[in-house]
Amino acid sequence: MALRPHIVALIVAAGSGSRVGGDIPKQFRVVNGRPMLAHSYAALSTHGDISTVFVAIGDGQESLAKDALNGLPAPVLVQGGATRRESVYQGLEEIARQGGADFVLIHDAARPFLPDFVIDDLIRALNTSAGAVPALPVVDSLSRGDDMLSETVDRSQLWRVQTPQAFHFDAILDAHRSWTGEEPTDDARMLMAMNGKVRIVPGSERLSKFTFSTDFAGNDMTPTIRSGTGFDVHRLVAGEELWLCGIRIAHDKGLSGHSDADVAIHALTDAILGALALGDIGDHFPPSDPQWKGASSDRFLKHAMTLAKNEGYVLANADVTIICEAPKIGPHRQAMRIRLSEIMGAELSRISVKATTTELLGFTGRGEGIAAQAIVTFEKSNP
């Protein structure tokens, strides 16, 4: 069985964004409830095939970048250069210093709305080509001329090239190291100068670049309603405390896990992250990280709700189902609802907790563990 390629991403966010105006560079301005950089960073950092995301920033932008990405998996910040090419080059060299990669996706922070299918298509294209770019066909008529039209330009093989652009890491690093020409229009052009082949995959209108102040108006393309589901299981063992929905329950066994193993809150947290398309609880709180050993799961739930709030969403309802033979959930159900309401900062009327059994069937029926499932729905608070 072939090993999966090691894939990293590099976001170029070192520019000043002077054409947009304002007090801060455009990549840190808020779009759809969160800084522009955070949108594409979230798409790349939570993609299952991408292990690490590097971000090239300008002088004095470290605090801006950290604030913009607060609540997301920690980035690797790289000091960029005076031009886009220099920033990409510095990022590639930092990736090389940290062990390199098989593939790298290079993306501009000024293109915040990055669909998953574009990432998937780019990665697949690298199986047969050293480089790949998303692009859209030119649909408008093209002509040459000054104040009067003259020659019509054939648009049948013209493309609007976008980012991220994907490459075999060693190939694009070599292209940058050997480049001696003027500032290139993009990284694909540099690979082509080294006789590298660049494949075209379908781009997206959502990947439009933010260049001028008017681009920030009327660009709310996120859905007004979002839903997500979550499911989790933990083993019942002797000698552990039993926590469910943030409430400690008296029982002869407790749930085993890296944190406090609150299976209901874990399912609810995953449902929220799923609704936001921000991965799962393991992406944000990896069990391999010792800092989460024995951690209270309300921290996970608060984190997920903060992400939802940052994107402009409010909770419409949350429904949690706990699946077990024992303990009985009914006597604790109202206390669970109240505790979840406190953690999530939501009205009690929006939160449901209920329980069921499996009629003595399966691992829950045998008392070996407890399962939980959850569904949440969010509404846009500023549609």
Side-chain angles (χ1 to χ4, degrees), residues 21 39-40 90 102 148 161 183 220 299 334 343 349 354 367 378-379:
H39 288 283
S40 54
Q90 293 298 327
D102 296 313
M148 301 292 289
V161 179
E183 181 75 5
D220 195 346
R299 297 173 62 183
Q334 188 65 5
I343 297 170
S349 61
K354 57 187 188 294
F378 286 98
E379 298 173 315

Side-chain angles (χ1 to χ4, degrees), residues 60-329:
Q61 293 182 353
E62 182 175 353
S63 61
L64 286 171
K66 288 183 176 179
D67 288 344
L69 301 178
N70 182 41
L72 292 167
V76 179
L77 299 180
V78 181
Q79 185 62 52
T83 66
R84 182 191 182 279
R85 191 201 77 79
E86 291 175 2
S87 294
V88 173
Y89 179 50
Q90 293 298 327
L92 293 175
E93 289 289 4
E94 181 59 29
I95 294 170
R97 282 191 289 270
Q98 296 199 23
D102 296 313
F103 301 158
V104 60
L105 277 67
I106 303 173
H107 185 54
D108 292 332
R111 299 181 187 270
F113 303 116
L114 174 55
D116 279 347
F117 79 84
V118 173
I119 301 174
D120 295 338
D121 288 349
L122 288 169
I123 293 173
R124 279 193 293 269
L126 293 181
N127 291 324
T128 57
S129 179
V133 299
L136 293 172
V138 174
V139 295
D140 296 321
S141 296
L142 299 174
S143 291
R144 291 188 176 90
D146 293 324
D147 57 340
M148 301 292 289
L149 291 179
S150 57
E151 177 186 1
T152 298
V153 178
D154 180 12
R155 66 173 187 257
S156 62
Q157 296 187 18
L158 295 179
W159 297 89
R160 296 156 51 199
V161 179
Q162 302 175 315
T163 71
Q165 298 185 355
F167 306 96
H168 287 211
F169 177 75
D170 290 343
I172 195 62
L173 179 60
D174 287 345
H176 271 267
R177 284 175 172 173
S178 61
W179 185 259
T180 58
E182 297 179 353
E183 181 75 5
T185 56
D186 61 11
D187 302 287
R189 195 66 46 191
M190 300 174 68
L191 182 67
M192 293 167 62
M194 300 283 291
N195 296 317
K197 302 297 183 183
V198 178
R199 188 172 298 279
I200 295 173
V201 304
S204 170
E205 292 291 351
R206 294 197 67 193
L207 269 172
S208 297
K209 187 176 183 180
F210 282 56
T211 304
F212 303 103
S213 59
T214 52
D215 295 332
F216 285 82
N219 272 286
D220 195 346
M221 295 177 284
T222 56
T224 57
I225 301 292
R226 302 194 76 141
S227 295
T229 63
F231 180 79
D232 196 29
V233 173
H234 280 282
R235 184 185 301 275
L236 279 167
V237 297
E240 293 286 351
E241 296 179 347
L242 177 58
W243 288 86
L244 291 172
C245 293
I247 298 295
R248 183 180 175 183
I249 308 295
H251 194 53
D252 60 343
K253 294 180 180 179
L255 292 172
S256 174
H258 187 65
S259 63
D260 65 7
D262 189 326
V263 67
I265 283 187
H266 292 184
L268 186 53
T269 301
D270 261 351
I272 296 169
L273 295 173
L276 302 174
L278 291 178
D280 59 31
I281 195 170
D283 294 321
H284 296 257
F285 304 97
S288 59
D289 191 334
Q291 71 172 305
W292 308 122
K293 178 67 175 175
S296 175
S297 293
D298 60 359
R299 297 173 62 183
F300 309 157
L301 184 54
K302 287 178 181 177
H303 168 79
M305 287 298 294
T306 297
L307 295 180
K309 180 181 178 181
N310 289 346
E311 292 212 27
Y313 287 99
V314 295
L315 183 72
N317 74 287
D319 184 23
V320 180
T321 301
I322 301 170
I323 307 165
C324 64
E325 296 291 334
K328 296 299 183 183
I329 301 301

